[in-house]
Amino acid sequence: MSEKFEQLKGKAKEAAGKVTGDKHTEAEGKAENLGGKVKEAVNDLKDSAQGAIDGIKKSLDSDKDGE
């Protein structure tokens, strides 16, 4: 499930819980929304780290070619 979908689903569940007065459903929605945000942040961090690693590899490879 995509992180954005999980966040949207959580927000909808949270809203439904508020409307119906169901604190359990509201809390589940908040947790799903937060979980989606955390997963998204982790994936962004992975992408950034991979970009940095690729940049270092490219730099090292170009240094080898220049020798």
Side-chain angles (χ1 to χ4, degrees):
M1 183 182 327
S2 80
E3 294 83 14
K4 290 289 185 190
F5 180 74
E6 189 171 341
Q7 290 174 41
L8 183 61
K9 182 179 158 194
K11 285 181 184 181
K13 190 180 270 190
E14 182 180 354
K18 283 182 182 179
V19 168
T20 61
D22 185 346
K23 296 292 183 188
H24 180 74
T25 300
E26 185 179 347
E28 281 181 349
K30 284 182 182 181
E32 285 181 18
N33 185 12
L34 181 60
K37 288 180 180 182
V38 168
K39 287 178 185 177
E40 185 175 32
V42 168
N43 285 336
D44 289 348
L45 183 60
K46 282 182 189 177
D47 290 344
S48 295
Q50 188 61 53
I53 291 168
D54 291 345
I56 291 169
K57 284 180 181 178
K58 187 175 181 178
S59 175
L60 292 174
D61 287 344
S62 68
D63 286 347
K64 285 182 185 178
D65 293 340
E67 291 179 359

